[in-house]
């Protein structure tokens, strides 16, 4: 039975860097992340293929679990989750690996989208402040008047930054969100003072700390960190798809979910070093030890069974309602934002 309880930008150099990173990632997606060429073809857009929070996508490919399910999965990448969401709604791909919170936001816009397998129980995000600004920003209460980096406007980093501000008495209009992507562009913005701090994930976090370019203000890579910052479990990374497509292709969806659940179980019984060894060599950017550390720091966020964490959707709705007028004025049906039908069958 089915169970549902379901602006500023960097200058030309920064934009070029984003384009280069995206192109590089897409090269990986079109080669190493393409399956055997046999079986049912599925395209999945990932909101940053080399981000550790979305690691199960590439790892499932590398472990051969898509092939084992008779799927030919092509993994594509966009630098931010909101852009991956757009590709799904436009019908360019059949699925998106991104944050679950987009399913609620899309419902208020008349789009029926649901998470079919939940990778995580915490955001996996870290609020970083630059070394220079560390004395001025000691909590989100100090966000007023600051420039804060996010991956993209309308992204989950944008959502979470706004919530942390509002929760701590700072109006959304009191600070400036700056779209700086992740990786090299985020780090460059932090070092050059284009942002005072920002929200990002590993391996960007590990690199910033290694370069001593910033300090951790809030760590939401663990369930405990999520509880402290957001008041509960915050399901983030997931595979979400348009509900109509799910209902019309249940066999294919089941195979996808089964493959991902196998990966999550595999991750729960292997070390960060073993996981890192399975990933494309260029993901470590020449520093395997640092990349391994970034995986180790983020591993606590992942589920081992793909099941939506209890009270997770309610936490997400509470967070979004704090600042998102669309959701404040809507009656969101959480039962339609995810399903456990496929993960239950995968067991």
């Amino acid at each position: 039975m089915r169970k549902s309880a379901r602006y500023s930008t960097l200058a030309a150099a920064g934009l070029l860097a984003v384009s280069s990173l995206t192109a590089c990632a897409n090269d990986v997606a079109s080669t190493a992340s393409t399956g055997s060429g046999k079986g049912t073809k599925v395209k999945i857009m990932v909101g940053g293929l080399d981000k550790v929070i979305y690691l199960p996508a590439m790892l499932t490919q590398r472990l051969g679990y898509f092939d084992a399910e008779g799927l030919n999965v092509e993994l594509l990448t966009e630098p931010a989750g909101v852009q991956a969401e757009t590709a799904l709604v436009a019908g360019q791909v059949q699925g998106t690996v991104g944050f679950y919170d987009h399913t609620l936001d899309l419902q208020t816009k008349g789009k029926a989208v649901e998470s079919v397998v939940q990778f995580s129980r915490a955001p996996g995000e870290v609020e970083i402040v630059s070394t220079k600004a560390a004395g001025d920003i000691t909590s989100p209460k100090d966000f007023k008047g600051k420039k804060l980096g996010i991956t993209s406007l309308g992204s989950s980093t944008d959502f979470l930054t706004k919530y942390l501000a509002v929760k701590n008495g700072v109006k959304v209009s009191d600070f400036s969100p700056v779209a700086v992507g992740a990786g090299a562009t985020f780090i460059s913005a932090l070092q050059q003072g284009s942002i005072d701090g920002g929200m990002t994930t590993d391996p960007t976090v590990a690199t910033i700390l290694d370069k001593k370019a910033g300090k951790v203000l809030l760590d939401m890579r663990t369930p405990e960190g999520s509880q402290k910052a957001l008041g509960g479990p915050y399901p983030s990374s997931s595979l979400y798809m348009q509900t109509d497509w799910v209902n019309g292709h249940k066999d294919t969806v089941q195979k996808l979910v089964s493959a991902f659940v196998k990966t999550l179980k595999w991750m729960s019984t292997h070390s960060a070093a073993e996981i890192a060894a399975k990933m494309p060599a260029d993901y470590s950017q020449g520093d395997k030890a640092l990349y391994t550390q970034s995986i180790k720091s983020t591993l606590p966020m992942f589920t081992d069974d793909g099941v939506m964490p209890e009270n997770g959707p309610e936490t997400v709705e509470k967070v979004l309602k704090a600042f998102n007028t669309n959701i404040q004025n809507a009656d969101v049906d959480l039962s339609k934002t995810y399903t456990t039908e496929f993960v239950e069958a995968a067991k």
Side-chain angles (χ1 to χ4, degrees):
M1 291 182 68
R2 186 185 180 97
K3 179 184 176 184
S4 303
R6 303 222 254 191
Y7 140 29
S8 64
T9 349
L10 291 177
L15 290 173
L16 179 60
V18 172
S19 299
S20 298
L21 285 170
T22 302
C24 177
N26 273 318
D27 285 343
V28 174
S30 63
T31 55
S33 68
T34 299
S36 63
K38 300 176 181 178
T40 304
K41 182 68 180 288
V42 180
K43 289 185 178 182
I44 296 176
M45 185 67 78
V46 184
L49 197 50
D50 59 352
K51 294 177 184 177
V52 178
I53 57 171
Y54 299 140
L55 180 150
M58 178 59 78
L59 183 58
T60 302
Q61 190 77 275
R62 304 284 286 191
L63 291 171
Y65 291 158
F66 289 139
D67 285 347
E69 292 289 339
L71 298 172
N72 176 22
V73 174
E74 182 178 4
L75 298 174
L76 305 170
T77 188
E78 286 284 1
V82 65
Q83 293 157 328
E85 166 200 295
T86 300
L88 177 70
V89 173
Q92 298 170 354
V93 295
Q94 288 75 53
T96 292
V97 169
F99 269 38
Y100 161 73
D101 53 21
H102 290 291
T103 67
L104 280 72
D105 187 50
L106 284 169
Q107 188 181 121
T108 68
K109 298 170 182 175
K111 306 294 183 182
V113 175
E114 62 187 10
S115 166
V116 296
V117 55
Q118 197 61 47
F119 299 162
S120 62
R121 50 193 175 175
E125 302 282 353
V126 177
E127 185 69 26
I128 290 276
V129 294
S130 71
T131 302
K132 182 179 179 181
D136 298 326
I137 307 175
T138 59
S139 83
K141 293 179 181 179
D142 301 321
F143 282 177
K144 187 173 182 178
K146 300 299 189 292
K147 296 173 291 184
L148 301 176
I150 56 173
T151 52
S152 180
L153 296 177
S155 66
S156 295
T157 53
D158 188 18
F159 293 163
L160 288 170
T161 301
K162 287 176 177 175
Y163 173 74
L164 292 174
V166 171
K167 179 188 176 186
N168 288 275
V170 179
K171 296 178 182 178
V172 170
S173 58
D174 286 342
F175 69 92
S176 301
V178 185
V180 293
T185 53
F186 187 103
I187 296 168
S188 176
L190 198 68
Q191 292 176 319
Q192 294 174 11
S194 301
I195 56 175
D196 301 299
M199 190 171 293
T200 191
T201 61
D202 278 310
T204 307
V205 174
T207 303
I208 289 170
L209 297 180
D210 185 61
K211 291 177 177 291
K212 295 180 171 53
K215 297 181 179 180
V216 173
L217 182 68
L218 287 171
D219 191 339
M220 296 178 285
R221 291 175 291 187
T222 66
E224 295 77 17
S226 178
Q227 179 71 41
K228 183 177 180 180
L230 306 174
Y234 195 91
S236 56
S237 307
S238 66
L239 172 66
Y240 63 83
M241 314 178 87
Q242 296 204 58
T243 301
D244 284 348
W245 199 91
V246 172
N247 291 337
H249 302 81
K250 287 196 172 187
D251 183 56
T252 299
V253 176
Q254 185 63 66
K255 291 177 179 179
L256 283 167
V257 172
S258 295
F260 279 126
V261 169
K262 288 178 186 176
T263 297
L264 292 168
K265 288 188 181 300
W266 188 92
M267 289 170 61
S268 71
T269 59
H270 289 75
S271 69
E274 291 171 318
I275 294 170
K278 290 290 184 179
M279 302 301 287
D282 60 341
Y283 279 24
S284 67
Q285 298 182 6
D287 193 331
K288 291 183 179 179
L290 192 62
Y291 181 59
T292 299
Q293 180 57 48
S294 73
I295 293 176
K296 183 177 180 180
S297 297
T298 306
L299 273 179
M301 72 174 278
F302 293 108
T303 68
D304 61 4
D305 56 10
V307 174
M308 175 67 73
E310 187 176 358
N311 299 322
E314 289 79 6
T315 302
V316 173
E317 183 180 32
K318 178 199 72 174
V319 166
L320 296 184
K321 275 191 172 183
F323 64 87
N324 188 314
T325 54
N326 288 336
I327 291 182
Q328 287 171 354
N329 299 322
D331 184 15
V332 177
D333 186 346
L334 293 177
S335 71
K336 294 181 179 178
T337 61
Y338 75 97
T339 176
T340 61
E341 173 185 357
F342 302 101
V343 289
E344 291 295 340
K347 291 181 180 181

